[in-house]
Amino acid sequence: MESASATLDQLTTGDTGAERDQLQLVTFEVGKEEFAIDILSVQEINRMMDLTRVPQSPPEVEGVINLRGRIIPVIDLRKRFNMDRGERDQHSRIVVVEVKGRVLGFIVDRVHEVLRIDRKIVDAPPSMVSSVDSDFIAGVGKLPDRLLILLDLDKLFASEVLGAADIAMQRAS
Amino acid sequence: MFDPEILQDFLTECGELLEQLDSELVALESTPQDPELLNKVFRALHTIKGSGSFLALTNLVGIAHAAEEALNAARRGDVVIDRSVMDLLLEAVDLLRKQFVELEAGTPLTAPRQELVDALTRVGAGDKVAAASAAGGADPTAPAQSASLAEAASPVAAEGDEFTLPESKADLLEFMVADLDETLARLDAQIDALRSETERDTISGEISHICESLARSVEFFEFSPMSALVSVLEISSERLGQLDDDCLDQVTPRLKAVVELLRRQTEGLRHRRLLPCDASELGGRVVDLVLGHAIDEAAHLGKDADIDTVLRIDGVVMAWSGAGSGDASDPVEDELGLQTSMIEEKAPAMESAAGVGGSAEPGPEGSGGPTRIEQTIRVEVSRLESLLNLVGELVLQKNRVGAMARHIVREDLVTQDLREAVAQSSSDLDRVTSDIQVAVMRTRMQSLDKLFGKYPRLIRDLSRKTDKKINLVIEGGDTEVDKSVIEELGDPLVHLLRNSADHGVEPPADRAAAGKSETGTIKLKASQQGDHVLVQIIDDGRGLDRDKLIAKAIEKGLISEDEGASMSDRDAHRLIFLPGFSTAAEVSDLSGRGVGMDVVRTNIEKLKGAIDLESAPGMGTTLSIRIPLTVAIMPAMMVGVGSELYAVPLTNILEIVRPEADLVSTINGRRVMRLRDTVLPLVSMSELFEQAQDNREVEQFAVVVELNEQRAGLMVSRLIGQQEIVIKPLDGILADSGAVSGATVRDDGGVSLIVDIARVIRTAQEVKAAMAA
């Protein structure tokens, strides 16, 4: 018990000490690819829960959930990335983030780990790195064994982008 | 530029004054001699000016000062506020309002039109001549003033002694110091001249006149220690002419001492210091003397007592007396600290003003100018909102406990004691939450006067523009509704009032020809009815012309000719709520702005309210708006559709029926049911909400909903029960979703969407239209 809280303290002091060259990231998996976002934008990570469908909402919005009295939209990241709809299993998680003052959740296949990486190993997004639109990518972290795609949440969840996707869908149909 | 907090205080406080000014000025136009009202308006302007000058808002101070001058003249009865003067004053208030907006936006303030300032100053100038001649007269309110004087003077000693001013203010201060030097020198000379018996009357008039301008410049900077001293001079100057030599011997040295104190304060100002100074005893003695009261034997002054003697005898303590000897180079870094103390310093001055205002007939020169501030608590809306969220949470918890209690009671494992305890705590929680709910709601409630106060001005301007005579009668302005309702209601009401004034009330000639009084009346009436507020706009104008409305609707393709022919008067009148309908033959400057009544209706519906109208040709039109007291919590019926649960606002539900198969029929592919003697269009919830086919169930219940007297049957599969629901907004990206107006959390913690009845009714109207086709 004691040692656990001590570790926690160390962690937090480490955070406030803010080694600026370090990035602290949360990494997760969507459709066989590994993504990462800044830990500071993450409010919490929840297991899957019942979603309430909202009729005639933008297609990538899976529904709304009750986050301690607050109703927040939940977006299916697979739909957002135009990937195949995957099965929900015990690994599926809802990552709750705050983007420009709005709180929303998104569904990922599984959450991997919390990771510190050196800012130096992050490159600008190349044009073709993954199946994801490069507009949504803030950078690519080159780990010794694999690549991490750093997402730009502001762009990914900008309401006008979500709306535009919706309009595009309507036009197509 | 400014400390944002001080600026915010200024905007809030003076903004409120400004809001009242409009309606007070319009009221003043009909009762131009009302001293109460004149004083109120004067004080409001004075406070705005004073606070504005503190923030060095030169343009704002300029116009406020000119308007204040004009009102001062009116207060003295030198000028009567007629229409032309009122126009000037209203223009000044308009400009002030504009400047407030600019101040909020952080843009430079518009300078007042020079002609406007000049014209107001000319109105104000009338007072100077008259004031000087009237100055010697007895003032019945002097005792009241002396009482307030003591109040004003005593806290002075506690004030801080150093200050710095924002750079922009420095110029004004220098100007003031130079002005004060000159004025004080003149005053000193006049006091010396008082010894000459023959000219005493003239001189006391002159002194009174000087004091008046002195008071103005001191108040301009809101330096209360100085105001207190100036008040002493002001009060005594009016009576100097009547004093005998003995008394004068006691008074004049003291007056000279007061002038000296002022001079020292001025010197202090030059070095950015405000001196702590308790001159209450001196002030009190002067006032006693001029009123003919005896003073302490010990306080009697010998012949030609010098100033220091006077100060000693009268116990004046001043920290810093050597002119120029102070440590002026000492920089004061804490500018903010000073500004705060300056603001706080206003408090005693306000109290004194309240004392003056309380006397039956306030003297022309009050000891302080600032307005009387009502005892109010300002609560940040964001805090209120979070409190409201907490209450919402509490209601939710209450529901949960209720649900648990229901479960526990069914289990055989629990003891009787536990059952009772749970039931008890549930009912306690119920009671407490409803109490809190009510209490919190009250903190958000505001009276409709906040809105209604703006409308007399609106109607006045409209009637002048249209050359109509319109009398606006306001009733029930004290009815309280939720703050958010007030905000949303403002625009629709302005629109409706404009409509009534522009289209409803006829020109005087037409009215006379119709045998009505030339002056039209628009009544704005509010009343509380249960959990709703009814706001009515009633005009006695020409009313709606059924045939014209129908012709127009046909012309615009909104209805067919057949429909028009069979339409009831009521339905015909309601045509004006249809999108794309505008009744004005030509677009007028006043109300025809492309946005029609449909926008008004949409706004009202957003508040979960309803709008309706009644009209009789030649008799007038009555518009009725019903809005809920609050938009945060409402009772709802929970219904099940397939596996999903939805909330239907209870206020819209008339009844719930289970239609027999033979009552339901299909016309042109649309389902309707016969309900007693009417035909009710049916809307299937699962279709409306595009449920997946495999999730659909038989919809056996018809929830009959009504909005604006239009009905529809909402088909659902299950009825769950009634609940108080807390309305939660949906995220912006969901704003354009289906027929939902928000969401709520159920007693099992899940989320349910709230059905938007307006959309359901619209869908039902499409059903009706399809049937007719």
Side-chain angles (χ1 to χ4, degrees):
Chain A
M1 198 58 189
E2 233 169 68
S3 67
S5 67
T7 333
L8 198 70
D9 280 348
Q10 275 167 6
L11 261 177
T12 31
T13 31
D15 278 351
T16 46
E19 300 141 67
R20 300 216 170 122
D21 306 337
Q22 294 269 307
L23 285 173
Q24 201 176 3
L25 304 170
V26 174
T27 71
F28 51 84
E29 188 183 300
V30 183
K32 305 271 182 267
E33 287 187 73
E34 193 176 13
F35 298 92
I37 55 175
D38 190 337
I39 198 164
L40 291 177
S41 57
V42 178
Q43 283 203 341
E44 60 189 271
I45 297 170
N46 292 323
R47 289 177 180 278
M48 275 310 291
M49 53 177 104
D50 281 344
L51 291 152
T52 300
R53 187 183 64 92
V54 180
Q56 287 124 47
S57 56
E60 58 269 60
V61 177
E62 193 68 6
V64 291
I65 55 167
N66 166 25
L67 190 74
R68 288 183 303 282
R70 192 164 173 178
I71 310 286
I72 63 164
V74 175
I75 287 157
D76 186 341
L77 220 47
R78 279 178 173 262
K79 280 195 201 156
R80 187 80 195 88
F81 292 153
N82 291 321
M83 294 174 179
D84 294 337
R85 189 191 157 91
E87 284 301 310
R88 303 270 153 74
D89 56 26
Q90 76 271 25
H91 299 299
S92 303
R93 291 288 182 276
I94 297 176
V95 181
V96 178
V97 291
E98 187 173 336
V99 186
K100 288 186 173 164
R102 292 165 56 209
V103 177
L104 49 83
F106 58 85
I107 301 172
V108 301
D109 292 353
R110 65 165 70 210
V111 171
H112 282 164
E113 58 186 332
V114 174
L115 194 67
R116 268 175 203 276
I117 64 166
D118 203 317
R119 205 179 271 277
K120 285 190 213 112
I121 68 161
V122 178
D123 285 353
S127 52
M128 281 300 288
V129 66
S130 81
S131 50
V132 175
D133 191 330
S134 60
D135 279 355
F136 304 146
I137 301 176
V140 174
K142 285 185 287 197
L143 300 182
D145 55 336
R146 62 192 201 270
L147 290 182
L148 267 184
I149 300 163
L150 274 64
L151 291 174
D152 185 335
L153 291 178
D154 284 2
K155 286 188 183 150
L156 190 59
F157 297 128
S159 49
E160 59 271 24
V161 177
L162 288 173
D166 188 25
I167 291 161
M169 290 283 271
Q170 282 173 357
R171 284 211 187 110
S173 65
Chain B
M1 189 155 106
F2 311 115
D3 177 13
E5 225 169 275
I6 292 185
L7 183 64
Q8 192 51 51
D9 281 352
F10 172 73
L11 285 171
T12 326
E13 252 172 53
C14 294
E16 280 173 10
L17 291 173
L18 207 52
E19 269 179 30
Q20 297 163 13
L21 265 179
D22 247 356
S23 55
E24 283 166 6
L25 280 174
V26 174
L28 197 57
E29 198 172 23
S30 45
T31 53
Q33 315 277 14
D34 183 346
E36 278 293 311
L37 208 51
L38 279 167
N39 278 323
K40 220 170 157 191
V41 174
F42 172 78
R43 277 191 227 114
L45 279 167
H46 185 88
T47 306
I48 292 171
K49 184 191 78 172
S51 316
S53 66
F54 183 72
L55 291 165
L57 307 168
T58 331
N59 283 337
L60 188 142
V61 171
I63 187 65
H65 181 71
E68 184 196 348
E69 290 281 283
L71 264 159
N72 212 11
R75 264 192 346 156
R76 286 156 201 248
D78 301 334
V79 176
V80 174
I81 296 188
D82 55 9
R83 247 162 99 129
S84 59
V85 176
M86 185 53 69
D87 282 341
L88 292 174
L89 288 171
L90 286 173
E91 188 184 341
V93 171
D94 283 343
L95 177 62
L96 283 172
R97 197 177 298 113
K98 189 172 170 212
Q99 289 173 333
F100 265 60
V101 173
E102 288 162 346
L103 205 53
E104 249 166 324
T107 52
L109 301 192
T110 312
R113 268 194 319 129
Q114 196 52 46
E115 304 92 86
L116 176 62
V117 176
D118 289 348
L120 283 168
T121 316
R122 267 198 303 282
V123 174
D127 89 312
K128 297 233 165 118
V129 186
S133 65
D139 182 358
T141 63
Q145 280 177 333
S146 81
S148 69
L149 177 72
E151 267 176 73
S154 52
V156 164
E159 298 303 331
D161 58 349
E162 293 176 325
F163 67 90
T164 52
L165 290 164
E167 194 151 357
S168 45
K169 177 88 179 267
D171 299 345
L172 284 166
L173 184 70
E174 260 165 52
F175 177 77
M176 179 198 176
V177 168
D179 188 50
L180 277 176
D181 273 345
E182 196 194 308
T183 315
L184 290 173
R186 264 168 64 209
L187 200 55
D188 210 29
Q190 293 291 345
I191 292 173
D192 282 338
L194 271 176
R195 292 178 195 284
S196 145
E197 209 168 330
T198 48
E199 290 176 66
R200 206 167 280 167
D201 268 5
T202 338
I203 289 169
S204 73
E206 185 61 30
I207 291 177
S208 162
H209 187 50
I210 296 172
C211 286
E212 193 188 308
S213 73
L214 195 61
R216 236 176 255 145
S217 20
V218 171
E219 279 167 17
F220 194 79
F221 278 72
E222 308 256 338
F223 291 151
S224 71
M226 295 186 77
S227 309
L229 291 170
V230 172
S231 305
V232 172
L233 290 176
E234 270 193 301
I235 294 165
S236 49
S237 66
E238 284 161 17
R239 292 170 179 262
L240 287 176
Q242 299 149 10
L243 300 180
D244 58 34
D245 282 351
D246 282 351
C247 191
L248 215 52
D249 281 344
Q250 296 296 323
V251 172
T252 37
R254 289 192 162 95
L255 289 181
K256 283 181 75 83
V258 171
V259 172
E260 174 60 21
L261 287 176
L262 281 169
R263 209 189 333 256
R264 289 182 192 177
Q265 287 284 18
T266 310
E267 202 53 44
L269 288 182
R270 207 190 290 284
H271 298 283
R272 302 287 154 82
R273 279 162 178 268
L274 198 57
L275 307 177
C277 165
D278 182 355
S280 51
E281 204 171 345
L282 170 64
R285 287 204 179 123
V286 172
V287 174
D288 279 349
L289 283 167
V290 296
L291 291 175
H293 300 174
I295 59 166
D296 262 353
E297 199 65 35
H300 268 275
L301 299 172
K303 208 123 184 85
D304 296 324
D306 66 5
I307 286 165
D308 286 338
T309 317
V310 175
L311 294 184
R312 192 169 32 78
I313 288 180
D314 285 344
V316 176
V317 190
M318 200 174 207
W320 188 67
S321 55
S325 69
D327 187 5
S329 60
D330 183 17
V332 182
E333 285 161 30
D334 188 10
E335 199 170 292
L336 291 188
L338 161 85
Q339 290 185 333
T340 316
S341 83
M342 291 291 290
I343 294 282
E344 281 163 3
E345 184 187 304
K346 286 181 193 164
M350 279 168 189
E351 273 172 33
S352 79
V356 172
S359 64
E361 198 188 64
E365 295 103 359
S367 63
T371 181
R372 170 186 207 144
I373 300 279
E374 259 184 354
Q375 285 284 321
T376 53
I377 302 169
R378 273 199 202 95
V379 188
E380 264 176 46
V381 175
S382 61
R383 280 186 204 172
L384 280 176
E385 241 127 30
S386 64
L387 190 56
L388 196 63
N389 283 339
L390 283 175
V391 170
E393 197 67 11
L394 203 55
V395 171
L396 173 71
Q397 298 299 342
K398 174 199 77 173
N399 291 347
R400 278 196 177 149
V401 171
M404 276 185 331
R406 284 196 296 279
H407 277 293
I408 289 171
V409 169
R410 276 188 223 125
E411 297 281 342
D412 295 312
L413 297 168
V414 289
T415 64
Q416 184 62 28
D417 282 355
L418 182 58
R419 280 181 200 151
E420 280 169 10
V422 169
Q424 180 63 41
S425 68
S426 169
S427 83
D428 283 354
L429 193 55
D430 199 355
R431 181 176 51 78
V432 171
T433 42
S434 20
D435 284 357
I436 294 177
Q437 191 180 328
V438 170
V440 173
M441 289 305 162
R442 286 219 174 111
T443 64
R444 287 180 52 94
M445 296 293 236
Q446 287 181 319
S447 79
L448 281 167
D449 271 330
K450 213 173 147 57
L451 273 184
F452 290 1
K454 294 174 186 164
Y455 300 142
R457 168 76 192 277
L458 178 82
I459 296 298
R460 174 195 186 266
D461 288 356
L462 282 174
S463 54
R464 287 201 69 171
K465 256 188 214 164
T466 52
D467 282 324
K468 288 176 187 175
K469 292 183 186 165
I470 305 173
N471 185 19
L472 178 69
V473 180
I474 294 178
E475 280 176 21
D478 55 352
T479 310
E480 289 197 325
V481 295
D482 194 88
K483 184 179 157 50
S484 58
V485 174
I486 294 244
E487 281 159 7
E488 296 291 325
L489 199 57
D491 287 347
L493 280 184
V494 167
H495 193 88
L496 295 176
L497 282 169
R498 281 194 159 144
N499 259 341
S500 293
D502 198 20
H503 306 314
V505 177
E506 316 91 324
D510 293 11
R511 290 185 64 91
K516 297 200 253 187
S517 112
E518 284 196 356
T519 306
T521 302
I522 298 178
K523 201 188 262 180
L524 182 58
K525 205 168 138 186
S527 59
Q528 191 180 333
Q529 303 193 330
D531 59 352
H532 278 72
V533 166
L534 177 69
V535 180
Q536 287 183 304
I537 296 169
I538 306 160
D539 71 54
D540 63 352
R542 59 170 75 96
L544 293 173
D545 185 333
R546 174 205 147 91
D547 297 336
K548 248 192 203 163
L549 292 172
I550 291 176
K552 185 108 172 191
I554 295 172
E555 179 198 318
K556 299 228 164 183
L558 299 170
I559 53 168
S560 70
E561 291 204 22
D562 289 350
E563 275 177 291
S566 61
M567 200 166 252
S568 71
D569 281 1
R570 227 178 151 69
D571 285 344
H573 293 154
R574 280 209 198 95
L575 286 171
I576 64 168
F577 292 122
L578 289 180
F581 192 95
S582 168
T583 49
E586 72 257 45
V587 171
S588 94
D589 172 35
L590 303 177
S591 48
R593 296 196 173 167
V595 287
M597 296 288 279
D598 63 313
V599 177
V600 172
R601 191 185 66 168
T602 314
N603 282 341
I604 301 288
E605 281 174 2
K606 249 190 240 159
L607 290 169
K608 311 239 176 309
I611 183 168
D612 198 11
L613 88 172
E614 265 176 84
S615 184
M619 302 293 287
T621 305
T622 298
L623 270 148
S624 306
I625 299 171
R626 269 168 57 87
I627 32 167
L629 285 176
T630 172
V631 288
I633 297 181
M634 66 174 181
M637 170 64 76
M638 303 301 294
V639 298
V641 185
S643 63
E644 297 173 339
L645 296 178
Y646 290 90
V648 182
L650 207 59
T651 47
N652 296 107
I653 299 180
L654 287 180
E655 59 182 318
I656 297 175
V657 293
R658 190 176 191 150
E660 302 288 332
D662 59 335
L663 292 178
V664 179
S665 51
T666 306
I667 307 177
N668 291 340
R670 310 289 175 146
R671 284 205 302 166
V672 294
M673 75 169 283
R674 225 157 5 111
L675 182 64
R676 292 182 283 278
D677 54 348
T678 60
V679 174
L680 191 71
L682 295 178
V683 176
S684 155
M685 278 274 273
S686 56
E687 278 170 33
L688 185 66
F689 289 139
E690 299 177 344
Q691 273 185 335
Q693 286 298 337
D694 56 4
N695 189 18
R696 294 197 182 179
E697 288 175 357
V698 180
E699 294 174 323
Q700 49 183 335
F701 297 100
V703 180
V704 183
V705 290
E706 183 192 62
L707 184 73
N708 293 326
E709 296 192 24
Q710 290 173 332
R711 294 177 190 189
L714 194 59
M715 297 301 295
V716 304
S717 29
R718 279 165 298 135
L719 300 173
I720 310 299
Q722 277 185 35
Q723 247 181 45
E724 284 268 290
I725 61 165
V726 180
I727 303 167
K728 307 269 184 184
L730 286 173
D731 186 90
I733 59 170
L734 301 171
D736 295 328
S737 302
V740 290
S741 62
T744 190
V745 179
R746 292 191 305 267
D747 53 10
D748 63 0
V751 178
S752 275
L753 300 173
I754 301 166
V755 180
D756 181 357
I757 298 301
R759 292 272 287 273
V760 171
I761 297 283
R762 234 161 286 157
T763 311
Q765 291 308 110
E766 285 162 21
V767 173
K768 245 185 172 170
M771 275 159 46

